[in-house]
Amino acid sequence: MKTVTVNIVTPDGPVYDGEVTMVIAKTVAGDIGVLAGHVPMVAPLAISAVKLNKADGKSDVVTVSGGFVEVRPDKISILATAAELAENIDVARAKEAQKRAEARLQQKQSEIDVKRAEAALARAMNRIKVQEGNI
């Protein structure tokens, strides 16, 4: 099966660079699966997991906290606000972030705080879900 180069980059630097047979990602409009030779496109990403299927039958999983995916026939670039390989996720830290976000949601001080807490909760839950293998 043909492969395509995938780069996942955050403001802090590169997170993933490799050859894969398929990329499965969640955009704000829904799930997409991209193979080598796909027509060019750009789409905004949802807070979710990106599954990277490799030629050897194994997969890598990367959490992304929003951003964009740019698809070209020979390369897929993901520009994410934050991204983390599943094996690098600190579950204890993610669970603490989840607790803080839930506490902030209980307080409901202002609309801005609620939106920020909801986003923080979604990011924490995404990281926990991916680390536990529930993608």
Side-chain angles (χ1 to χ4, degrees):
M1 185 174 255
K2 286 186 177 181
T3 61
V4 61
T5 301
V6 176
N7 300 100
I8 300 177
V9 182
T10 70
D12 294 329
V15 174
Y16 188 91
D17 186 12
E19 293 288 321
V20 302
T21 57
M22 183 176 194
V23 174
I24 301 168
K26 182 175 284 202
T27 70
V28 295
D31 292 345
I32 60 170
V34 181
L35 301 170
H38 195 284
V39 296
M41 66 174 255
V42 175
L45 292 170
I47 295 171
S48 63
V50 175
K51 187 174 181 183
L52 306 154
N53 295 338
K54 299 189 290 186
D56 63 4
K58 296 180 181 175
S59 298
D60 289 326
V61 179
V62 178
T63 64
V64 293
S65 297
F68 290 90
V69 59
E70 176 191 21
V71 176
R72 291 180 280 171
D74 61 337
K75 186 175 184 179
I76 300 169
S77 298
I78 295 177
L79 309 170
T81 307
E84 194 171 10
L85 282 164
E87 60 262 21
N88 295 340
I89 294 172
D90 181 344
V91 177
R93 195 174 120 229
K95 287 183 178 183
E96 283 300 316
Q98 179 183 8
K99 287 178 187 174
R100 284 192 309 272
E102 288 170 342
R104 275 186 262 148
L105 282 171
Q106 295 296 323
Q107 295 170 358
K108 292 188 179 181
Q109 293 175 353
S110 73
E111 186 63 32
I112 294 171
D113 289 339
V114 170
K115 297 280 186 205
R116 288 179 57 202
E118 287 172 345
L121 180 59
R123 289 190 302 270
M125 291 175 67
N126 180 49
R127 293 174 68 230
I128 293 166
K129 181 175 79 170
V130 166
Q131 216 295 317
E132 292 175 346
N134 299 323
I135 59 164

